[in-house]
């Protein structure tokens, strides 16, 4: 029986969160164990870890966390041990700490694959992912641009969107992991419209009755009347006008050198950024440790830390789990909203 098919034989089916290990050579196992160790018994009972239990045990021992792990098939309601949907390192594969390896990339992929199957089968509500390394992922033959693209492929979603959420500023991206040259080509009326729609739907689901959305311009000063490019007037402005006519509270294009400041002061609930760095830089500047990466446009819900594998400090016992805690807290809110619905 393969790991994916095991979801039909589960004992429990009421987990709030399925947390994936990420690249085991990085800080993922440690920050997961730190976060789980800090939970109340009630919170811990709603968590299902996905990954190699021996690696989780090693991480718990590293940080001296009194955690016990048990396979999902043996876990029962009221069990104080942490349930693990087991995904093992391929036999005979080298998995060096703090280094890129095909084994690490493959395990990270298979953990996400298993988590998706668990959620699709109704055994967990929201996925939380620890960081993976794209080079390791590609070395293992899994050619995705990261978690968001991988999840879109695994769920057969036509498109997906990356939201960076924080208390003071949240951004949603028209494009993410593509070159800047390609990102400009992806600024289309259709994609801007779909991005705003996805952001609006998510904010409504999170309890905002009337989300206020700003759309950032692409060019300096939104092109300055076409002097610095015509995309803002030719593409972005018509998309915004059409959305407003449909009843969306959306403004734009607004010059990127002011819109993020205005949003951080409370004028907007969300800024649609035109490309990766335009949206990532301001959010990480304001809330580097607490920003949560959320995938929108998928038939499943997923949150993540907004940092990498940190190979340079992996398996040394001093990785900071603050961001993982924020991702888990956001996921709990999503799970509660889904349950209420």
């Amino acid at each position: 029986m393969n790991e994916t098919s095991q979801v039909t034989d589960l004992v429990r089916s009421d987990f709030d969160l399925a947390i994936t290990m990420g690249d085991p050579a990085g800080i993922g196992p440690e920050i997961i164990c730190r976060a789980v160790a800090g939970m109340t018994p009630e919170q811990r009972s709603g968590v299902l870890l996905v990954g190699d239990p021996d690696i989780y045990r090693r991480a718990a021992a590293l940080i001296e966390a009194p955690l016990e792990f048990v396979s999902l098939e043996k876990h029962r309601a009221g069990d104080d041990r942490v349930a693990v949907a087991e995904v093992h390192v391929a036999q005979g594969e080298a998995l060096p700490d703090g280094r890129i390896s095909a084994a690490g990339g493959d395990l990270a992929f298979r953990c996400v694959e298993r988590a998706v199957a668990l959620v699709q089968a109704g055994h967990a509500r929201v996925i939380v992912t620890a960081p993976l390394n794209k080079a390791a992922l590609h070395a293992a033959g899994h050619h995705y641009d990261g978690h968001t693209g991988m999840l879109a492929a695994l769920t057969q979603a036509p498109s997906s969107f990356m939201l960076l959420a924080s208390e003071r500023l949240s951004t949603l991206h028209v494009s993410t992991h593509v070159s800047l040259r390609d990102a400009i080509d992806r600024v289309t009326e259709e994609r801007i419209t779909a991005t705003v729609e996805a952001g609006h739907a998510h904010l409504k689901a999170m309890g905002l009755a009337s989300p206020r959305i700003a759309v950032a311009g692409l060019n300096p000063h939104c092109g300055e009347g076409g002097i610095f490019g015509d995309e803002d007037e030719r593409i972005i402005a018509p998309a915004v006008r059409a959305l407003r006519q449909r009843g969306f509270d959306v403004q734009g294009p607004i010059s990127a050198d002011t819109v993020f400041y205005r949003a951080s002061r409370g004028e907007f609930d969300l800024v649609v950024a035109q490309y990766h760095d335009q949206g990532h830089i301001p959010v990480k500047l304001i809330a580097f440790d607490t920003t949560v990466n959320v995938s929108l446009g998928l038939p499943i819900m997923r949150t993540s830390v907004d940092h990498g594998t940190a190979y340079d400090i992996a398996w040394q016992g001093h990785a900071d789990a603050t961001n993982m805690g924020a991702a888990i807290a956001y996921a709990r809110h999503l799970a509660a909203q889904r349950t209420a619905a």
Side-chain angles (χ1 to χ4, degrees), residues 20 95 119 206 233 255 290:
T20 63
L95 185 59
V119 171
M206 293 294 285
E233 291 185 358
S255 182
T290 56

Side-chain angles (χ1 to χ4, degrees), residues 132-196:
L132 53 74
N133 181 280
K134 297 174 186 64
L137 195 66
H138 283 225
H142 306 297
H143 298 288
Y144 300 101
D145 63 354
H147 274 115
T148 305
M150 182 195 306
L151 288 164
L154 289 172
T155 59
Q156 298 183 325
S159 62
S160 57
F161 307 87
M162 181 187 293
L163 168 69
L164 296 187
S166 74
E167 288 190 12
R168 285 184 56 194
L169 177 64
S170 295
T171 62
L172 187 61
H173 301 71
V174 172
S175 68
T176 51
H177 295 133
V178 296
S179 71
L180 187 55
R181 188 179 303 278
D182 288 343
I184 294 171
D185 293 335
R186 297 195 183 198
V187 177
T188 65
E189 289 189 47
E190 294 77 14
R191 181 66 180 179
I192 292 166
T193 299
T195 306
V196 171

Side-chain angles (χ1 to χ4, degrees), residues 14-18 42-43 46 124-128 202 204-207 301-303 327-341:
D14 58 347
F15 292 97
D16 290 326
L17 312 180
E42 182 180 4
Q43 291 173 332
R125 296 182 179 87
V126 184
I127 296 173
V128 181
H202 178 74
K204 291 272 285 187
M206 293 294 285
M301 296 184 291
R302 170 256 180 179
T303 72
I328 288 171
Y330 201 102
R332 288 192 190 283
H333 189 48
L334 285 174
Q337 293 293 329
R338 180 169 184 174
T339 301

Side-chain angles (χ1 to χ4, degrees), residues 202-254:
H202 178 74
L203 292 176
K204 291 272 285 187
M206 293 294 285
L208 276 179
S210 301
R212 303 163 301 161
I213 300 175
V215 178
L218 174 67
N219 296 301
H221 307 167
C222 294
E224 199 80 61
I227 299 172
F228 307 133
D230 67 351
E231 292 87 355
D232 296 273
E233 291 185 358
R234 179 170 53 86
I235 299 172
I236 301 174
V240 171
R241 283 196 298 269
L243 285 161
R244 290 181 63 83
Q245 289 172 358
R246 292 170 53 197
F248 289 88
D249 185 354
V250 57
Q251 297 183 37
I254 301 175

